[in-house]
Amino acid sequence: MRRIRAAAVGAVTLSFALTLAACGGGSSGSEGSNEQPKTLTYWASNQGANLEVDKKVLQPELDKFEKETGIKVKLEVVPWADLLNRILTATTSGQGPDVLNIGNTWSASLQSSGALLPWDAKNFEAIGGKDRFVESALGSTGVQGQDPAAVPLYSMAYALYYNKKMFADAGIEKPPATWEELAETGRKLSKDGKWGLGAEGSNLSNNIHQVFVLGKQHGADFFTPDGKADFTSDGAVAAVKQYVDLMATDKIVAPGNAEYAQNQSLSDFAKDKTAMVLWQTASATFKAQGMKDDEWGVAPAPVQSGEPGSGKATNSMVAGINMAVFKNTKNIDGAKKFVKFMTSDEEQVVLNKAYGSIPPVKAAQQDPAFNGPALSVLRETLATSASALPQVPEESQFETVVGTAVKELFADAAAGRAVTTESVRAKLEKAQQQMPKK
Amino acid sequence: MTTTAALNAGERTARKDDPGAAPRKRRSGRLRRIGLPYLLLFPAILLELLVHLVPMVIGIVVSFKELTQFYIRDWDTAPWAGLDNYKLSVDFDAPVGEALLNSFFTTCLFTVLSVGLCWLLGVAAAIFMQESFRGRGFLRTVFLVPYALPVYAAVITWSFMFQRDNGLVNHVLHDQLGLTDSAPFWLIGDNSFIALLVVSVWKGWPFAFLIIMAGLQNIPKDIYEAAALDGAGVWQQIRRITLPALRPVNQVLVLVLFLWTFNDFNTPFVLFGKAAPEAADLISIHIYQSSFQTWNFGTGSAMSVLLLLFLLVVTGAYLWFTSRGRKVTDV
């Protein structure tokens, strides 16, 4: 009995400590070996409508790779909600996959742990050279001035998706280009149980993507140039307030959206309940929800005024998935071959077509498949008006604490509590204090 | 008089069944007396060491380190932080300490309510089910369903039901019964505490029911008959016979429920995801977020150690009080 009690008492400590205990500290500095040249383990992030879709997309390609090289790739598709934790556990224990997908915004955070193979000139040479990749995609592969921790695999950008029929019914001729126009258009559409804009108030990453772009438009970066957290600048406060105000004061976002975190706003959109969403590469999801391609339109995400561009006219983050290799792989040559295969011109077309994303490989972008009206908006955005999230080691903490602050503000707005500059600043201040001290 | 004597007899019968008394018979042979018990205990001790003690010691060591993403790969190279992590955790004027304290109070209130309700429901149902009636077996099975279901599946179903716009809870409360003016939120904001409590009680009370039902089997029927002859009503019988006889069972039950509820991680995590609403920010989730979400493992460990100390003190005090109480009855 006493033993059981002790077990229960220490549960929290233990569950945490266990992860560490299994570790024995992976040796640092090594660059993998070739002890097991016949197999590879690959953690793919969930890109399709569900895990099965991903397996269907990827398995034939992995079979192709096996036929070419004789290396068998064991595939595991990891849901988004688990991915970062799984990588973290793999890093501490040293028991990870050989090759894995990471959200490109985590590149710098994961790079700082030292677990990922650095992509120096020699390694890049093995996959055909750095020049094959689009510049903006390379901007989200690690801290500037260091060898990238990962290689771009799929690129995405935010855009404004709108429901053509709902627009036509309300007599709206063209999609809004500025936030003011968006609010106005939204107000016309928000009635009879329908709403102008969808949001995912409880999705921390999505919150970050939105307020980061608004921050850019207000001249704020959330980090100082020397990499210190700077969440409470006037621009940052204004950005967060502007985003939450879409629900709180503009009232074009349904209060119920405050608890959305599982892409419910996309199914509301597909069911004609909301007229617009700000999303990255949503076409595959719309199709999965039963919406036809000609029922929705796509326009650049709004800016404060004028045309999207660089600096204060930024209207998207550089979104995407990178591919990384764990340093302590037992099949380093095979891992590089696999990255080369996945980033080859041919595979880039196949994979990005299946996921509705844009190839970060220049040659593959030329394929006509990426020239449709929807994808050309995204491609244009990526090329001219998208900014990479701060490439600092604390990026993933930033996503958590500021994402949570925005979630709490949405909860306030949904409950009808006032969202003021002071309340926004207080939440951001609390978030900043939670960041680890440097 | 009759009641007390019979009750002690009842307790004695209960103790005879105690598995702890069994090994005494087997003690024969010199070799066995010296070596065998230790040999048999060895795997358990080894596992105990590996699974519990070693990680616990590592956890304590980590709580004195500055363990962030820069060191997680070789955590023993992380620089020492001295008492910094502890200072940060208990500095209740700064946001980190303040949030920890809030979460601690939330957890205390939550635990008291949840354990109390689980216990009340368990006792009521167990006493009710003592009499045999048509459909008792069926009802008993139904009562145990929450206990038998996998936690994840059950809680995620609850999270669907608690959704504001499409959930069953609001459909019944608001649309069908018209009990609320507007559809309330359950997964964000202040109501999240209620939602968490409902799920926790739903999940926890069948265990109380099961244990108390087992405890009731040990009370001889003739005590009740004697009490009835002496003119005791149903309430008096419950108060004077059932509850005192259940004392040893309750002692363990309440403690186990307390520890499970206080440390419950699965329920809030599945219900609310990584960032629990402030009103339902239980301490286990809070520590998880401090460690895994902000990658501040040193501070997270320090908080865990503080929690461990708190639970040890509470458990110790509880055991001391309850066992002292029992001695008095025994005399």
Side-chain angles (χ1 to χ4, degrees), chain A residues 117-432:
Chain A
L117 181 80
W119 288 86
D120 53 19
K122 183 187 75 169
N123 287 337
F124 255 119
E125 211 46 56
I127 60 166
K130 208 171 183 171
D131 301 337
R132 296 181 56 243
F133 295 90
V134 176
E135 193 67 30
S136 67
L138 283 173
S140 296
T141 52
V143 178
Q144 264 187 7
Q146 292 183 25
D147 289 325
V151 174
L153 183 64
Y154 314 125
S155 279
M156 304 173 202
Y158 273 84
L160 180 74
Y161 292 84
Y162 60 95
N163 184 314
K164 284 185 183 167
K165 188 172 167 295
M166 287 177 79
F167 266 49
D169 288 350
I172 300 160
E173 278 163 11
K174 64 177 180 49
T178 65
W179 289 105
E180 212 168 296
E181 287 173 30
L182 179 99
E184 202 179 302
T185 310
R187 277 192 287 270
K188 279 186 204 154
L189 292 156
S190 302
K191 55 183 175 201
D192 310 326
K194 303 196 177 217
W195 293 86
L197 183 72
E200 297 269 326
S202 288
N203 180 333
L204 308 189
S205 304
N206 187 266
N207 284 346
I208 284 302
H209 299 164
Q210 310 280 4
V211 299
F212 167 73
V213 169
L214 280 164
K216 280 275 173 200
Q217 297 183 5
H218 286 279
D221 248 336
F222 291 94
F223 283 92
T224 58
D226 57 344
K228 288 210 181 72
D230 181 21
F231 302 164
T232 54
S233 67
D234 290 347
V237 173
V240 171
K241 182 157 190 300
Q242 191 183 358
Y243 185 50
V244 179
D245 271 349
L246 293 169
M247 178 189 287
T249 55
D250 296 330
K251 303 205 186 295
I252 62 171
V253 177
N257 286 201
E259 67 176 18
Y260 282 7
Q262 318 281 342
N263 299 357
Q264 293 100 318
S265 64
L266 295 188
S267 54
D268 282 356
F269 180 85
K271 283 180 202 144
D272 296 348
K273 278 159 107 182
T274 13
M276 297 179 276
V277 280
L278 285 163
W279 207 262
Q280 40 174 328
T281 46
S283 58
T285 316
F286 292 155
K287 196 171 272 172
Q289 300 267 7
M291 199 179 193
K292 290 195 197 75
D293 282 350
D294 58 359
E295 287 176 311
W296 50 269
V298 63
V303 290
Q304 305 295 350
S305 66
E307 297 273 310
S310 56
K312 291 200 172 192
T314 295
N315 67 343
S316 173
M317 41 99 59
V318 176
I321 305 298
N322 290 348
M323 205 171 187
V325 172
F326 252 120
K327 246 186 200 170
N328 45 6
T329 169
K330 293 204 168 78
N331 186 2
I332 181 72
D333 290 346
K336 283 186 209 165
K337 267 184 213 157
F338 184 52
V339 175
K340 183 180 183 187
F341 172 81
M342 294 289 277
T343 54
S344 68
D345 296 354
E346 188 192 338
E347 284 309 307
Q348 279 288 299
V349 174
V350 175
L351 293 170
N352 283 288
K353 221 170 21 184
Y355 290 133
S357 49
I358 298 166
V361 170
K362 287 176 192 162
Q365 263 193 13
Q366 303 312 313
D367 191 278
F370 307 102
N371 265 331
L375 284 177
S376 54
V377 169
L378 300 178
R379 215 180 52 190
E380 185 71 10
T381 301
L382 264 183
T384 59
S385 60
S387 294
L389 273 148
Q391 296 290 307
V392 293
E394 291 82 7
E395 198 282 332
S396 73
Q397 286 102 315
F398 161 61
E399 281 193 30
T400 302
V401 296
V402 176
T404 304
V406 177
K407 173 182 170 172
E408 287 170 2
L409 288 164
F410 265 123
D412 284 347
R417 278 194 284 264
V419 175
T420 61
T421 305
E422 288 74 42
S423 73
V424 172
R425 194 183 297 273
K427 288 268 190 238
L428 288 174
E429 207 149 318
K430 187 181 135 200
Q432 177 149 336

Side-chain angles (χ1 to χ4, degrees), chain A residues 93-108:
Chain A
S93 66
Q95 310 289 315
D98 301 288
V99 185
L100 72 161
N101 287 5
I102 63 173
N104 68 352
T105 61
W106 307 333
S107 297

Side-chain angles (χ1 to χ4, degrees), chain B residues 25-26 34 49 71-72 78 88 97 117 121 157 185 195 218-219 222 240 250 275 280 286 295 300 307 316 326:
Chain B
K25 289 178 210 155
R26 293 196 209 116
I34 304 163
L49 213 66
Y71 305 103
I72 52 168
L88 189 69
L117 287 170
L121 279 174
T157 311
F185 281 102
N218 275 330
I219 309 176
D222 46 353
R240 306 254 176 188
N250 275 330
H286 189 85
W295 299 21
L307 176 67
R326 179 129 59 117

Side-chain angles (χ1 to χ4, degrees), chain A residues 1 3 5 7-14 16-21 23 25-29 81 84-85 88 91-92 109-110 112-115 202 204 255-256 258-260 264 273 327 393-394 396-397 400-401 404 407-408 411 414 417 427 430 433-434 436-437, chain B residues 44 48 51-52 55-56 58-59 62 66-70 72-75 88 95-96 162-166 185-190 252 255-256 259-260 263 272 274-276 278 284 287-289 291-297 301 304-305 307-308 311-312 315 319:
Chain A
M1 207 48 226
R3 202 167 292 155
R5 225 173 280 148
V9 168
V12 177
T13 318
L14 300 183
F16 154 63
L18 259 180
T19 342
L20 289 177
C23 108
S27 57
S28 48
L84 191 57
N85 265 357
L88 215 57
T91 307
T92 13
S109 290
L110 293 172
S112 64
S113 74
S202 288
L204 308 189
E259 67 176 18
Y260 282 7
Q264 293 100 318
K273 278 159 107 182
K327 246 186 200 170
E394 291 82 7
S396 73
Q397 286 102 315
T400 302
V401 296
T404 304
K407 173 182 170 172
E408 287 170 2
R417 278 194 284 264
K427 288 268 190 238
K430 187 181 135 200
Q433 301 264 5
Q434 286 175 298
K437 296 267 178 303
Chain B
E48 184 66 18
V51 177
H52 289 149
M56 213 187 279
I58 294 176
V62 166
E66 191 193 310
L67 188 57
T68 57
Q69 67 262 47
F70 299 101
I72 52 168
R73 193 154 169 260
D74 273 318
W75 62 273
L88 189 69
V96 174
F162 275 123
Q163 276 180 12
R164 176 179 180 261
D165 293 336
N166 310 311
F185 281 102
W186 295 104
L187 297 174
I188 55 173
D190 294 342
V252 176
L255 184 66
V256 168
L259 290 173
W260 282 354
N263 279 331
F272 305 121
K274 287 178 209 161
E278 276 170 293
S284 55
I287 292 175
Y288 163 81
Q289 194 166 28
S291 315
F292 283 90
Q293 297 292 299
T294 53
W295 299 21
N296 214 345
F297 297 96
S301 294
S304 298
V305 172
L307 176 67
L308 178 76
L311 289 177
L312 278 176
T315 310
L319 287 176

Side-chain angles (χ1 to χ4, degrees), chain B residues 188-266:
Chain B
I188 55 173
D190 294 342
N191 289 340
S192 52
F193 185 83
I194 301 172
L196 186 61
L197 191 63
V198 168
V199 181
S200 171
V201 171
W202 175 86
K203 201 164 67 83
W205 81 271
F207 178 72
F209 167 67
L210 199 68
I211 297 294
I212 289 175
M213 208 165 56
L216 288 178
Q217 311 284 322
N218 275 330
I219 309 176
K221 287 271 179 299
D222 46 353
I223 310 181
Y224 288 103
E225 281 161 20
L229 274 180
D230 286 350
V234 177
W235 268 116
Q236 263 188 315
Q237 289 183 18
I238 292 179
R239 222 163 64 83
R240 306 254 176 188
I241 305 173
T242 315
L243 290 182
L246 283 176
R247 228 187 117 94
V249 174
N250 275 330
Q251 190 192 343
V252 176
L253 174 66
V254 169
L255 184 66
V256 168
L257 278 181
F258 164 73
L259 290 173
W260 282 354
T261 313
F262 207 95
N263 279 331
D264 192 7
F265 177 81
N266 292 332

